[in-house]
Amino acid sequence: MSAVTTTPIDLYYWTTPNGWKASIMLEECGLPYRMVPINIGKGAQAAPDFLAVSPHGKIPVIVDPDGPGGTPITVFESNAILQYLARKTGLFYPAEERARIAVDIWLFWQAANFGPTLGQTHHFRIYASEKIPYAVERFTAATTKLYATLDGQLGRHPYVAGEEYSIADIAILPWAKLWERQGQDIAAFPNVAAWMDRMKARPGVQRGFRLKPDPDEAPAPRG
């Protein structure tokens, strides 16, 4: 897949952990992109134009005008976006099969466990209209267990999937950076804390986190 992109990729985006995955990856890869803000606080994710590119009504989404074969492609689901951009550029996704499997394992771990559990923890601790102690305790404890798993892995390797920085790190970091909201004590996970410091020192990561849409800005049509 060609890494040459002259026309910007459209990034349908809002400032959430999954949105940050895509913005960080685009910045790390040095690909030109145009942010299309989707204000999920105002229900923009339910607009017909957005559902046309994201059937489940979730951000992020990218539309790459220079997709496979030189024709446009739409990609939704944040980890699918990471894999697509990694294959497009040849970055952060090893070619050697065993190393790639290791990345896939942790990418799927994030999608199936880390993200959903932490998302439920955010909901019941912060957003739920009714505070349900059982739900708060259950998801907070499950989150602690996941951090312990991650801390153990990072005690054996400098990066989540091994010796090299990869899309597995990009997938996990945006969720891990919100540990305080999840009722966690990061001092209990020193390997995670040190890894987050290394990740946050990367210029591409910093730029990805800084991307903030104007809440009043409406999506603009491509010219």
Side-chain angles (χ1 to χ4, degrees), residues 106-131:
W106 289 98
L107 201 64
F108 280 81
W109 179 83
Q110 188 282 319
N113 295 282
F114 202 66
T117 301
L118 273 55
Q120 291 297 323
T121 305
H122 289 171
H123 175 77
F124 286 109
R125 290 182 65 89
I126 301 170
Y127 300 112
S129 58
E130 177 186 356
K131 291 296 182 284

Short mmCIF file of all heavy atoms in Angstrom, two decimals, residues 106-131:
data_model
loop_
_atom_site.label_atom_id
_atom_site.label_comp_id
_atom_site.label_asym_id
_atom_site.label_seq_id
_atom_site.Cartn_x
_atom_site.Cartn_y
_atom_site.Cartn_z
N TRP A 106 -2.05 -7.54 21.73
CA TRP A 106 -2.30 -6.42 22.64
C TRP A 106 -3.27 -5.42 22.04
O TRP A 106 -4.02 -4.74 22.77
CB TRP A 106 -0.98 -5.77 23.05
CG TRP A 106 -0.24 -6.69 23.97
CD1 TRP A 106 0.76 -7.56 23.66
CD2 TRP A 106 -0.51 -6.88 25.36
NE1 TRP A 106 1.14 -8.28 24.76
CE2 TRP A 106 0.38 -7.88 25.83
CE3 TRP A 106 -1.41 -6.31 26.26
CZ2 TRP A 106 0.39 -8.31 27.15
CZ3 TRP A 106 -1.40 -6.73 27.57
CH2 TRP A 106 -0.52 -7.72 28.01
N LEU A 107 -3.33 -5.34 20.72
CA LEU A 107 -4.32 -4.49 20.08
C LEU A 107 -5.73 -5.03 20.36
O LEU A 107 -6.65 -4.26 20.71
CB LEU A 107 -4.06 -4.46 18.57
CG LEU A 107 -4.62 -3.30 17.76
CD1 LEU A 107 -4.00 -1.97 18.19
CD2 LEU A 107 -4.37 -3.53 16.27
N PHE A 108 -5.89 -6.33 20.27
CA PHE A 108 -7.19 -6.95 20.55
C PHE A 108 -7.49 -6.92 22.05
O PHE A 108 -8.65 -6.79 22.45
CB PHE A 108 -7.25 -8.36 19.99
CG PHE A 108 -7.53 -8.41 18.52
CD1 PHE A 108 -6.53 -8.19 17.58
CD2 PHE A 108 -8.81 -8.64 18.03
CE1 PHE A 108 -6.77 -8.21 16.22
CE2 PHE A 108 -9.08 -8.67 16.67
CZ PHE A 108 -8.06 -8.45 15.76
N TRP A 109 -6.46 -7.06 22.88
CA TRP A 109 -6.65 -6.94 24.33
C TRP A 109 -7.22 -5.57 24.67
O TRP A 109 -8.13 -5.45 25.49
CB TRP A 109 -5.31 -7.17 25.03
CG TRP A 109 -5.33 -7.04 26.52
CD1 TRP A 109 -5.68 -7.99 27.43
CD2 TRP A 109 -4.95 -5.88 27.29
NE1 TRP A 109 -5.55 -7.50 28.72
CE2 TRP A 109 -5.11 -6.21 28.66
CE3 TRP A 109 -4.49 -4.61 26.96
CZ2 TRP A 109 -4.81 -5.31 29.70
CZ3 TRP A 109 -4.20 -3.71 27.98
CH2 TRP A 109 -4.37 -4.06 29.32
N GLN A 110 -6.69 -4.55 24.03
CA GLN A 110 -7.22 -3.21 24.27
C GLN A 110 -8.66 -3.09 23.81
O GLN A 110 -9.52 -2.56 24.54
CB GLN A 110 -6.35 -2.17 23.54
CG GLN A 110 -6.68 -0.72 23.89
CD GLN A 110 -7.91 -0.21 23.18
OE1 GLN A 110 -8.13 -0.49 22.00
NE2 GLN A 110 -8.74 0.55 23.89
N ALA A 111 -8.95 -3.61 22.62
CA ALA A 111 -10.30 -3.46 22.06
C ALA A 111 -11.33 -4.27 22.83
O ALA A 111 -12.48 -3.83 23.00
CB ALA A 111 -10.29 -3.89 20.59
N ALA A 112 -10.94 -5.44 23.32
CA ALA A 112 -11.90 -6.33 23.97
C ALA A 112 -11.97 -6.14 25.48
O ALA A 112 -13.01 -6.46 26.09
CB ALA A 112 -11.54 -7.79 23.66
N ASN A 113 -10.91 -5.65 26.08
CA ASN A 113 -10.84 -5.60 27.54
C ASN A 113 -10.57 -4.19 28.08
O ASN A 113 -11.38 -3.63 28.81
CB ASN A 113 -9.74 -6.56 28.04
CG ASN A 113 -10.06 -8.00 27.73
OD1 ASN A 113 -10.87 -8.63 28.40
ND2 ASN A 113 -9.41 -8.55 26.71
N PHE A 114 -9.41 -3.65 27.75
CA PHE A 114 -8.97 -2.39 28.37
C PHE A 114 -9.94 -1.25 28.07
O PHE A 114 -10.40 -0.55 28.98
CB PHE A 114 -7.56 -2.06 27.90
CG PHE A 114 -6.79 -1.14 28.81
CD1 PHE A 114 -6.42 -1.54 30.09
CD2 PHE A 114 -6.41 0.12 28.39
CE1 PHE A 114 -5.70 -0.69 30.92
CE2 PHE A 114 -5.68 0.98 29.21
CZ PHE A 114 -5.33 0.56 30.48
N GLY A 115 -10.26 -1.04 26.81
CA GLY A 115 -11.15 0.07 26.44
C GLY A 115 -12.56 -0.08 27.00
O GLY A 115 -13.07 0.81 27.68
N PRO A 116 -13.23 -1.21 26.73
CA PRO A 116 -14.61 -1.36 27.22
C PRO A 116 -14.73 -1.30 28.74
O PRO A 116 -15.65 -0.67 29.26
CB PRO A 116 -15.02 -2.73 26.68
CG PRO A 116 -14.18 -2.93 25.46
CD PRO A 116 -12.86 -2.29 25.79
N THR A 117 -13.81 -1.94 29.45
CA THR A 117 -13.90 -1.94 30.91
C THR A 117 -13.66 -0.55 31.47
O THR A 117 -14.39 -0.08 32.36
CB THR A 117 -12.89 -2.94 31.51
OG1 THR A 117 -13.17 -4.25 31.01
CG2 THR A 117 -12.99 -2.98 33.03
N LEU A 118 -12.64 0.13 30.94
CA LEU A 118 -12.37 1.48 31.43
C LEU A 118 -13.51 2.43 31.05
O LEU A 118 -13.83 3.36 31.81
CB LEU A 118 -11.04 1.99 30.89
CG LEU A 118 -9.80 1.62 31.72
CD1 LEU A 118 -9.67 0.13 31.97
CD2 LEU A 118 -8.54 2.17 31.07
N GLY A 119 -14.11 2.22 29.89
CA GLY A 119 -15.26 3.03 29.50
C GLY A 119 -16.42 2.87 30.47
O GLY A 119 -17.09 3.85 30.84
N GLN A 120 -16.69 1.63 30.89
CA GLN A 120 -17.75 1.40 31.87
C GLN A 120 -17.39 2.02 33.22
O GLN A 120 -18.25 2.55 33.94
CB GLN A 120 -18.00 -0.10 32.02
CG GLN A 120 -18.64 -0.76 30.82
CD GLN A 120 -20.03 -0.21 30.52
OE1 GLN A 120 -20.80 0.10 31.42
NE2 GLN A 120 -20.35 -0.08 29.24
N THR A 121 -16.11 1.97 33.56
CA THR A 121 -15.66 2.59 34.81
C THR A 121 -15.91 4.09 34.77
O THR A 121 -16.41 4.69 35.74
CB THR A 121 -14.17 2.30 35.06
OG1 THR A 121 -13.97 0.88 35.04
CG2 THR A 121 -13.71 2.83 36.40
N HIS A 122 -15.56 4.74 33.65
CA HIS A 122 -15.85 6.17 33.50
C HIS A 122 -17.34 6.43 33.69
O HIS A 122 -17.74 7.37 34.40
CB HIS A 122 -15.45 6.66 32.11
CG HIS A 122 -13.98 6.72 31.88
ND1 HIS A 122 -13.44 6.95 30.63
CD2 HIS A 122 -12.92 6.59 32.71
CE1 HIS A 122 -12.12 6.96 30.72
NE2 HIS A 122 -11.78 6.74 31.97
N HIS A 123 -18.15 5.61 33.05
CA HIS A 123 -19.60 5.84 33.09
C HIS A 123 -20.14 5.77 34.51
O HIS A 123 -20.82 6.70 34.97
CB HIS A 123 -20.32 4.81 32.21
CG HIS A 123 -21.81 4.91 32.30
ND1 HIS A 123 -22.52 5.90 31.66
CD2 HIS A 123 -22.72 4.16 32.98
CE1 HIS A 123 -23.81 5.76 31.94
NE2 HIS A 123 -23.96 4.71 32.74
N PHE A 124 -19.84 4.67 35.20
CA PHE A 124 -20.44 4.48 36.52
C PHE A 124 -19.82 5.37 37.59
O PHE A 124 -20.50 5.75 38.55
CB PHE A 124 -20.37 3.00 36.92
CG PHE A 124 -21.35 2.15 36.18
CD1 PHE A 124 -20.93 1.25 35.21
CD2 PHE A 124 -22.71 2.27 36.41
CE1 PHE A 124 -21.83 0.47 34.51
CE2 PHE A 124 -23.63 1.50 35.71
CZ PHE A 124 -23.20 0.60 34.76
N ARG A 125 -18.56 5.76 37.42
CA ARG A 125 -17.94 6.64 38.41
C ARG A 125 -18.26 8.11 38.19
O ARG A 125 -18.31 8.89 39.14
CB ARG A 125 -16.41 6.46 38.39
CG ARG A 125 -15.92 5.13 38.92
CD ARG A 125 -14.39 5.07 38.89
NE ARG A 125 -13.82 6.05 39.80
CZ ARG A 125 -13.55 5.82 41.09
NH1 ARG A 125 -13.79 4.63 41.61
NH2 ARG A 125 -13.03 6.77 41.84
N ILE A 126 -18.48 8.51 36.92
CA ILE A 126 -18.57 9.95 36.61
C ILE A 126 -19.92 10.34 36.01
O ILE A 126 -20.52 11.34 36.41
CB ILE A 126 -17.43 10.35 35.65
CG1 ILE A 126 -16.08 10.05 36.29
CG2 ILE A 126 -17.53 11.82 35.25
CD1 ILE A 126 -14.91 10.18 35.34
N TYR A 127 -20.39 9.58 35.03
CA TYR A 127 -21.51 10.06 34.22
C TYR A 127 -22.88 9.51 34.60
O TYR A 127 -23.90 10.13 34.26
CB TYR A 127 -21.25 9.73 32.74
CG TYR A 127 -19.99 10.37 32.20
CD1 TYR A 127 -18.90 9.60 31.85
CD2 TYR A 127 -19.90 11.75 32.06
CE1 TYR A 127 -17.73 10.18 31.36
CE2 TYR A 127 -18.74 12.35 31.58
CZ TYR A 127 -17.67 11.56 31.23
OH TYR A 127 -16.53 12.14 30.76
N ALA A 128 -22.96 8.40 35.27
CA ALA A 128 -24.25 7.78 35.58
C ALA A 128 -25.10 8.71 36.44
O ALA A 128 -24.60 9.29 37.42
CB ALA A 128 -24.06 6.45 36.28
N SER A 129 -26.35 8.87 36.09
CA SER A 129 -27.25 9.74 36.86
C SER A 129 -27.51 9.17 38.24
O SER A 129 -27.78 9.92 39.19
CB SER A 129 -28.56 9.94 36.10
OG SER A 129 -29.18 8.69 35.85
N GLU A 130 -27.43 7.86 38.36
CA GLU A 130 -27.59 7.20 39.66
C GLU A 130 -26.30 6.46 39.99
O GLU A 130 -25.83 5.64 39.20
CB GLU A 130 -28.76 6.21 39.62
CG GLU A 130 -28.95 5.44 40.90
CD GLU A 130 -30.02 4.35 40.78
OE1 GLU A 130 -30.64 4.26 39.71
OE2 GLU A 130 -30.20 3.60 41.74
N LYS A 131 -25.72 6.77 41.13
CA LYS A 131 -24.49 6.09 41.54
C LYS A 131 -24.85 4.72 42.13
O LYS A 131 -25.57 4.64 43.13
CB LYS A 131 -23.74 6.93 42.58
CG LYS A 131 -23.15 8.20 41.99
CD LYS A 131 -22.07 7.84 40.94
CE LYS A 131 -21.42 9.10 40.35
NZ LYS A 131 -22.27 9.79 39.39
#
